[in-house]
Amino acid sequence: MVEFAEAKRIARNIVKGVCPEGYGSLCEAFKRLRGQFPSKSESWFFRAIVRSLVSVRKVGDRHWVVAGIREFGDNHPLYNVWLSESGKYMCDCYYRQWGYKRKAEICTHIAAVLLVKRQRWLSEF
Ligand SMILES: [Zn+2]
């Protein structure tokens, strides 16, 4: 895990296309995520990358906990992300923070989990 200010510096570079030394697998994971969600903003990817560096913890086979970051608008200390049997990611911020109307959106808690998972796969090579 990386310190918050350092994570922000790393994330700022990655979204600008500058890959810091030692973060090759995260940069690859970011490129894939951006390819998957081309309409998302630079700040959305920035938040996802910072979260992936400081706050994602696997707590079960299909369950992750992502620490809330006040600066990113989180009002809770922890968020739960689940992967359903059908392969759909769910986050409890959908219910607690935004209401049901945001249910179809992918949040940066889920995006952070995707970044961590993809780095693990990539680093296995
Ligand atoms: Zn969320």
Side-chain angles (χ1 to χ4, degrees), residues 101-121:
K101 65 177 180 192
R102 293 292 297 269
K103 207 171 165 182
E105 280 277 326
I106 177 174
C107 64
T108 56
H109 307 117
I110 291 175
V113 169
L114 292 173
L115 285 172
V116 171
K117 286 185 69 177
R118 283 170 191 177
Q119 280 180 78
R120 300 238 159 103
W121 292 333

Side-chain angles (χ1 to χ4, degrees), residues 16-74:
K16 299 263 182 252
V18 181
C19 190
E21 210 181 321
Y23 290 93
S25 63
L26 176 57
C27 298
E28 274 309 307
F30 159 67
K31 283 181 200 160
R32 288 183 185 202
L33 191 70
R34 198 179 47 187
Q36 197 179 349
F37 301 102
S39 66
K40 293 294 184 188
S41 67
E42 204 168 276
S43 96
W44 188 88
F45 289 110
F46 171 79
R47 281 176 280 137
I49 293 167
V50 171
R51 290 186 193 286
S52 78
L53 288 166
V54 300
S55 72
V56 176
R57 198 156 47 89
K58 193 171 198 295
V59 292
D61 192 28
R62 292 165 168 268
H63 183 195
W64 297 263
V65 166
V66 181
I69 297 175
R70 204 162 263 286
E71 197 176 308
F72 294 170
D74 293 334

Side-chain angles (χ1 to χ4, degrees), residues 79-81 90-94 97-98 106-110:
Y79 293 86
N80 292 281
V81 173
M90 297 292 296
C91 179
D92 57 6
C93 78
Y94 294 167
Q97 203 160 344
W98 306 111
I106 177 174
C107 64
T108 56
H109 307 117
I110 291 175

